[in-house]
Amino acid sequence: MLVITTFVYAMFQGGFVSWFLFFSFLPFALYAFLILVYPLNDFQVTRTISQEKYRAGDRLIGTITLHRHAPVPLAFLLVEETLSNDLLFCQQTKQAKSIMFPWFKNTITIQYALDRLPRGEHTLSGIRLVTGDFLGLIEKERVIELEKQFLVYPNYVEMTYKQHENKFDQGSTSSQMKLIRDTSMTVGVREYQPGDRFSWIDWKATARRNEIMTKEFEQQQSHDVMVFLDHSHSTSFESAVSYTAALTKAILKYGSQVGLVSVGENRSVFPLRSGEEQFAEIYYHLAKIQPNNKKDFDKVIETEIGKFQPTVTFVFITGRLVKKTVESLEKLSTRHPHLQVHITKDNGVRLSKEEHVLMDQLKRRNIAAKVVYPSKSTTDVISEVS
């Protein structure tokens, strides 16, 4: 329309000025027409990311490569990675939206960086391309569907698991483990140590060595830990997930069996097992869960805890301690003596007055209760949860 208008004006008006306007605008009009007929389908787009697995807080570096066959001059090209809402608020040291001036280039490469990735399952859905002419008369847009899913696992620090304090034949030890000495299975002798029973003395070895020697028996240890994770909405839910991962890893490293009851919109139960495969399954589950618990945590506890032997140690991890949960644990403490409650809080967040009262109520029933704060230091984590 503008070309026709300027041409008609030049024909009727005549003179240098009118024809100058027509011929000056003609290149811009021809370029706009070229952009109009140029198909953005000519672009072949590939995207690569720096890793396949991430931990919360890691940095994602994405590389977008564009290749085309027709060398049509493009004055500008806007390339944008379409991000989900969770990734949209990540800090971007290199923007996922970039404007290029490719002109005749056939291959274009851009990079972007997303810092402090949030835990969860994320999807990169596609690449958005926008181009146009110099005067903004023509603008073309194309969204290339290029789906890429990746998982961000919870971040955790290595910690040392120590069992709850209890008493055994040899004084005090930091353990709640049921320790059984099979006195029918003698595996050797050693020097007498204070606290050894008189009946354990090996009199023949004592006579031979002229020193008091004690029999060593095969020890049968049984310490299984079942972890209950509450998915209720709380400000420290991410801390609870990270702590669950760290605790599970530490228990397995200790050599015990561990299981998980994940109480959310869909209840997930991982039976008691040991080994790296067990941790991999639990870790994968922890990467995907969300704070979507629609059931009362106390009701799930009462339903699930009866499926296990009383010798199992139960650890309940929650971001907020409520009265109903405490009442349920008090009822169960008569049949299950090994109960622990770990309340996770973010740094700088204190327990409420109600939670202080409920913690004291648990301790009066011999239920171990403690507050856990996240830390970047392994020693700090041990001091909080050991």
Short mmCIF file of all heavy atoms in Angstrom, two decimals, residues 161-165 176 223 225-226 228 243 247 313-317 329 336-343 362 366-370 385-386:
data_model
loop_
_atom_site.label_atom_id
_atom_site.label_comp_id
_atom_site.label_asym_id
_atom_site.label_seq_id
_atom_site.Cartn_x
_atom_site.Cartn_y
_atom_site.Cartn_z
N TYR A 161 25.99 -40.44 60.43
CA TYR A 161 24.82 -40.86 61.19
C TYR A 161 25.27 -41.48 62.51
O TYR A 161 26.12 -42.36 62.54
CB TYR A 161 24.01 -41.87 60.38
CG TYR A 161 22.82 -42.43 61.14
CD1 TYR A 161 21.72 -41.63 61.40
CD2 TYR A 161 22.80 -43.75 61.58
CE1 TYR A 161 20.62 -42.13 62.09
CE2 TYR A 161 21.72 -44.26 62.26
CZ TYR A 161 20.63 -43.45 62.51
OH TYR A 161 19.56 -43.95 63.20
N LYS A 162 24.67 -41.03 63.58
CA LYS A 162 24.91 -41.59 64.91
C LYS A 162 23.57 -41.96 65.51
O LYS A 162 22.65 -41.16 65.52
CB LYS A 162 25.63 -40.59 65.82
CG LYS A 162 27.04 -40.24 65.36
CD LYS A 162 27.69 -39.28 66.32
CE LYS A 162 29.09 -38.90 65.87
NZ LYS A 162 29.73 -37.94 66.79
N GLN A 163 23.51 -43.16 66.01
CA GLN A 163 22.25 -43.62 66.58
C GLN A 163 22.00 -42.98 67.93
O GLN A 163 22.92 -42.50 68.60
CB GLN A 163 22.26 -45.15 66.71
CG GLN A 163 22.46 -45.84 65.36
CD GLN A 163 22.74 -47.30 65.53
OE1 GLN A 163 22.25 -47.92 66.44
NE2 GLN A 163 23.54 -47.86 64.64
N HIS A 164 20.73 -43.00 68.31
CA HIS A 164 20.34 -42.36 69.55
C HIS A 164 20.97 -43.05 70.74
O HIS A 164 21.18 -44.26 70.74
CB HIS A 164 18.81 -42.38 69.67
CG HIS A 164 18.29 -41.51 70.76
ND1 HIS A 164 18.51 -40.15 70.79
CD2 HIS A 164 17.53 -41.80 71.84
CE1 HIS A 164 17.90 -39.65 71.84
NE2 HIS A 164 17.31 -40.63 72.50
N GLU A 165 21.26 -42.31 71.79
CA GLU A 165 21.99 -42.81 72.95
C GLU A 165 21.21 -43.88 73.69
O GLU A 165 20.02 -43.77 73.92
CB GLU A 165 22.30 -41.65 73.90
CG GLU A 165 23.20 -42.05 75.04
CD GLU A 165 23.61 -40.83 75.84
OE1 GLU A 165 24.30 -39.97 75.30
OE2 GLU A 165 23.21 -40.77 77.02
N GLN A 176 21.09 -46.60 69.47
CA GLN A 176 19.80 -47.12 69.85
C GLN A 176 19.62 -48.49 69.23
O GLN A 176 18.55 -49.05 69.17
CB GLN A 176 18.71 -46.18 69.35
CG GLN A 176 17.42 -46.24 70.14
CD GLN A 176 16.41 -45.26 69.59
OE1 GLN A 176 16.14 -45.24 68.40
NE2 GLN A 176 15.87 -44.44 70.45
N HIS A 223 19.50 -52.79 63.11
CA HIS A 223 19.10 -51.39 63.23
C HIS A 223 18.52 -50.93 61.90
O HIS A 223 19.23 -50.61 60.96
CB HIS A 223 20.29 -50.51 63.62
CG HIS A 223 19.91 -49.06 63.77
ND1 HIS A 223 19.14 -48.61 64.80
CD2 HIS A 223 20.19 -47.98 62.99
CE1 HIS A 223 18.96 -47.30 64.65
NE2 HIS A 223 19.58 -46.89 63.57
N VAL A 225 15.89 -48.29 59.93
CA VAL A 225 15.34 -46.95 60.12
C VAL A 225 14.30 -46.69 59.04
O VAL A 225 14.57 -46.84 57.85
CB VAL A 225 16.44 -45.86 60.04
CG1 VAL A 225 15.85 -44.48 60.29
CG2 VAL A 225 17.54 -46.15 61.06
N MET A 226 13.11 -46.31 59.48
CA MET A 226 12.03 -45.94 58.56
C MET A 226 11.81 -44.44 58.69
O MET A 226 11.52 -43.93 59.78
CB MET A 226 10.75 -46.69 58.89
CG MET A 226 9.78 -46.74 57.73
SD MET A 226 10.42 -47.80 56.40
CE MET A 226 9.33 -47.36 55.06
N PHE A 228 9.78 -41.00 57.74
CA PHE A 228 8.49 -40.45 57.29
C PHE A 228 8.71 -38.98 56.94
O PHE A 228 9.17 -38.19 57.77
CB PHE A 228 7.43 -40.55 58.39
CG PHE A 228 6.88 -41.94 58.60
CD1 PHE A 228 7.66 -42.94 59.16
CD2 PHE A 228 5.58 -42.25 58.22
CE1 PHE A 228 7.16 -44.22 59.36
CE2 PHE A 228 5.08 -43.53 58.40
CZ PHE A 228 5.86 -44.51 58.97
N TYR A 243 17.44 -32.50 53.84
CA TYR A 243 17.85 -33.22 55.04
C TYR A 243 17.49 -34.70 54.93
O TYR A 243 18.25 -35.56 55.37
CB TYR A 243 17.18 -32.60 56.26
CG TYR A 243 17.45 -33.36 57.54
CD1 TYR A 243 18.74 -33.45 58.05
CD2 TYR A 243 16.43 -34.01 58.22
CE1 TYR A 243 19.01 -34.15 59.21
CE2 TYR A 243 16.68 -34.71 59.38
CZ TYR A 243 17.96 -34.78 59.87
OH TYR A 243 18.22 -35.49 61.01
N LEU A 247 20.18 -37.61 55.35
CA LEU A 247 20.00 -38.62 56.40
C LEU A 247 19.93 -40.02 55.80
O LEU A 247 20.55 -40.96 56.33
CB LEU A 247 18.71 -38.31 57.18
CG LEU A 247 18.38 -39.25 58.34
CD1 LEU A 247 19.46 -39.17 59.41
CD2 LEU A 247 17.01 -38.92 58.93
N THR A 313 13.48 -48.26 64.06
CA THR A 313 13.54 -46.86 64.49
C THR A 313 12.79 -46.01 63.47
O THR A 313 13.04 -46.11 62.27
CB THR A 313 15.00 -46.39 64.59
OG1 THR A 313 15.67 -47.15 65.60
CG2 THR A 313 15.07 -44.91 64.97
N PHE A 314 11.88 -45.18 63.97
CA PHE A 314 11.07 -44.33 63.10
C PHE A 314 11.51 -42.88 63.26
O PHE A 314 11.59 -42.36 64.38
CB PHE A 314 9.58 -44.45 63.45
CG PHE A 314 9.03 -45.84 63.26
CD1 PHE A 314 8.96 -46.72 64.32
CD2 PHE A 314 8.61 -46.26 62.01
CE1 PHE A 314 8.46 -48.00 64.13
CE2 PHE A 314 8.11 -47.54 61.82
CZ PHE A 314 8.04 -48.42 62.89
N VAL A 315 11.82 -42.26 62.13
CA VAL A 315 12.24 -40.85 62.11
C VAL A 315 11.20 -40.06 61.32
O VAL A 315 10.98 -40.34 60.14
CB VAL A 315 13.63 -40.67 61.50
CG1 VAL A 315 14.02 -39.20 61.46
CG2 VAL A 315 14.67 -41.47 62.27
N PHE A 316 10.58 -39.08 61.97
CA PHE A 316 9.55 -38.27 61.33
C PHE A 316 10.13 -36.89 61.04
O PHE A 316 10.56 -36.18 61.96
CB PHE A 316 8.33 -38.15 62.24
CG PHE A 316 7.76 -39.48 62.66
CD1 PHE A 316 8.13 -40.07 63.86
CD2 PHE A 316 6.88 -40.16 61.83
CE1 PHE A 316 7.63 -41.30 64.24
CE2 PHE A 316 6.37 -41.40 62.20
CZ PHE A 316 6.74 -41.98 63.41
N ILE A 317 10.15 -36.54 59.76
CA ILE A 317 10.73 -35.27 59.33
C ILE A 317 9.61 -34.37 58.84
O ILE A 317 8.85 -34.74 57.94
CB ILE A 317 11.77 -35.49 58.20
CG1 ILE A 317 12.89 -36.42 58.69
CG2 ILE A 317 12.34 -34.16 57.73
CD1 ILE A 317 13.89 -36.78 57.62
N LEU A 329 1.84 -39.56 68.00
CA LEU A 329 3.11 -40.14 68.41
C LEU A 329 3.09 -40.57 69.87
O LEU A 329 3.69 -41.59 70.24
CB LEU A 329 4.24 -39.13 68.17
CG LEU A 329 4.54 -38.80 66.70
CD1 LEU A 329 5.60 -37.72 66.60
CD2 LEU A 329 5.00 -40.05 65.95
N HIS A 336 5.88 -48.61 70.27
CA HIS A 336 7.10 -48.40 69.47
C HIS A 336 8.03 -47.47 70.25
O HIS A 336 7.85 -46.24 70.23
CB HIS A 336 6.74 -47.80 68.11
CG HIS A 336 5.82 -48.66 67.31
ND1 HIS A 336 6.26 -49.69 66.49
CD2 HIS A 336 4.46 -48.65 67.20
CE1 HIS A 336 5.22 -50.27 65.92
NE2 HIS A 336 4.13 -49.67 66.32
N PRO A 337 9.03 -48.02 70.92
CA PRO A 337 9.89 -47.19 71.78
C PRO A 337 10.89 -46.31 71.03
O PRO A 337 11.43 -45.37 71.60
CB PRO A 337 10.62 -48.23 72.64
CG PRO A 337 10.64 -49.46 71.78
CD PRO A 337 9.38 -49.45 70.98
N HIS A 338 11.15 -46.62 69.77
CA HIS A 338 12.19 -45.90 69.03
C HIS A 338 11.55 -44.89 68.08
O HIS A 338 11.42 -45.14 66.87
CB HIS A 338 13.08 -46.87 68.26
CG HIS A 338 13.59 -48.01 69.10
ND1 HIS A 338 14.27 -47.80 70.26
CD2 HIS A 338 13.50 -49.35 68.93
CE1 HIS A 338 14.61 -48.98 70.79
NE2 HIS A 338 14.13 -49.93 70.01
N LEU A 339 11.15 -43.75 68.60
CA LEU A 339 10.53 -42.70 67.80
C LEU A 339 11.38 -41.43 67.89
O LEU A 339 11.82 -41.05 68.97
CB LEU A 339 9.11 -42.40 68.29
CG LEU A 339 8.11 -43.55 68.29
CD1 LEU A 339 6.76 -43.06 68.81
CD2 LEU A 339 7.95 -44.14 66.90
N GLN A 340 11.58 -40.79 66.74
CA GLN A 340 12.33 -39.53 66.68
C GLN A 340 11.59 -38.55 65.79
O GLN A 340 11.04 -38.94 64.76
CB GLN A 340 13.74 -39.75 66.14
CG GLN A 340 14.60 -40.69 66.97
CD GLN A 340 15.98 -40.85 66.37
OE1 GLN A 340 16.50 -39.95 65.71
NE2 GLN A 340 16.59 -42.01 66.59
N VAL A 341 11.59 -37.30 66.17
CA VAL A 341 10.98 -36.24 65.39
C VAL A 341 12.05 -35.21 65.06
O VAL A 341 12.69 -34.66 65.98
CB VAL A 341 9.81 -35.57 66.13
CG1 VAL A 341 9.22 -34.45 65.28
CG2 VAL A 341 8.75 -36.60 66.48
N HIS A 342 12.27 -34.95 63.78
CA HIS A 342 13.23 -33.95 63.33
C HIS A 342 12.47 -32.82 62.63
O HIS A 342 11.81 -33.05 61.61
CB HIS A 342 14.25 -34.56 62.37
CG HIS A 342 15.09 -35.62 63.00
ND1 HIS A 342 16.11 -36.28 62.33
CD2 HIS A 342 15.10 -36.14 64.25
CE1 HIS A 342 16.68 -37.15 63.13
NE2 HIS A 342 16.07 -37.09 64.30
N ILE A 343 12.56 -31.64 63.18
CA ILE A 343 11.86 -30.48 62.64
C ILE A 343 12.87 -29.63 61.87
O ILE A 343 13.85 -29.17 62.45
CB ILE A 343 11.21 -29.65 63.76
CG1 ILE A 343 10.35 -30.55 64.65
CG2 ILE A 343 10.36 -28.52 63.18
CD1 ILE A 343 9.95 -29.90 65.95
N LEU A 362 6.81 -34.01 73.75
CA LEU A 362 7.38 -35.23 73.18
C LEU A 362 8.51 -35.78 74.04
O LEU A 362 8.60 -37.00 74.27
CB LEU A 362 7.89 -34.96 71.76
CG LEU A 362 6.85 -34.73 70.67
CD1 LEU A 362 7.53 -34.28 69.38
CD2 LEU A 362 6.03 -35.99 70.41
N ASN A 366 9.62 -39.54 76.28
CA ASN A 366 10.85 -40.21 75.81
C ASN A 366 10.90 -40.34 74.28
O ASN A 366 11.45 -41.31 73.74
CB ASN A 366 10.99 -41.59 76.45
CG ASN A 366 11.22 -41.51 77.94
OD1 ASN A 366 11.90 -40.59 78.42
ND2 ASN A 366 10.64 -42.44 78.69
N ILE A 367 10.33 -39.37 73.60
CA ILE A 367 10.42 -39.30 72.14
C ILE A 367 11.45 -38.23 71.79
O ILE A 367 11.29 -37.07 72.15
CB ILE A 367 9.05 -38.95 71.51
CG1 ILE A 367 8.01 -40.02 71.87
CG2 ILE A 367 9.17 -38.83 70.00
CD1 ILE A 367 6.61 -39.69 71.41
N ALA A 368 12.51 -38.65 71.12
CA ALA A 368 13.58 -37.71 70.77
C ALA A 368 13.05 -36.68 69.77
O ALA A 368 12.45 -37.04 68.76
CB ALA A 368 14.77 -38.46 70.18
N ALA A 369 13.27 -35.41 70.06
CA ALA A 369 12.83 -34.33 69.18
C ALA A 369 13.95 -33.31 69.05
O ALA A 369 14.56 -32.92 70.05
CB ALA A 369 11.56 -33.66 69.72
N LYS A 370 14.22 -32.89 67.84
CA LYS A 370 15.30 -31.93 67.62
C LYS A 370 14.99 -31.06 66.42
O LYS A 370 14.18 -31.40 65.57
CB LYS A 370 16.64 -32.64 67.42
CG LYS A 370 16.67 -33.57 66.22
CD LYS A 370 17.99 -34.33 66.14
CE LYS A 370 18.12 -35.31 67.26
NZ LYS A 370 19.36 -36.10 67.18
N VAL A 385 22.40 -32.73 63.98
CA VAL A 385 21.55 -33.90 63.87
C VAL A 385 22.15 -35.16 64.48
O VAL A 385 21.49 -36.17 64.54
CB VAL A 385 21.22 -34.19 62.39
CG1 VAL A 385 20.59 -33.01 61.76
CG2 VAL A 385 22.46 -34.60 61.63
N SER A 386 23.39 -35.10 64.92
CA SER A 386 23.99 -36.33 65.44
C SER A 386 23.42 -36.67 66.79
O SER A 386 22.91 -35.83 67.50
CB SER A 386 25.50 -36.17 65.51
OG SER A 386 25.85 -35.11 66.38
#
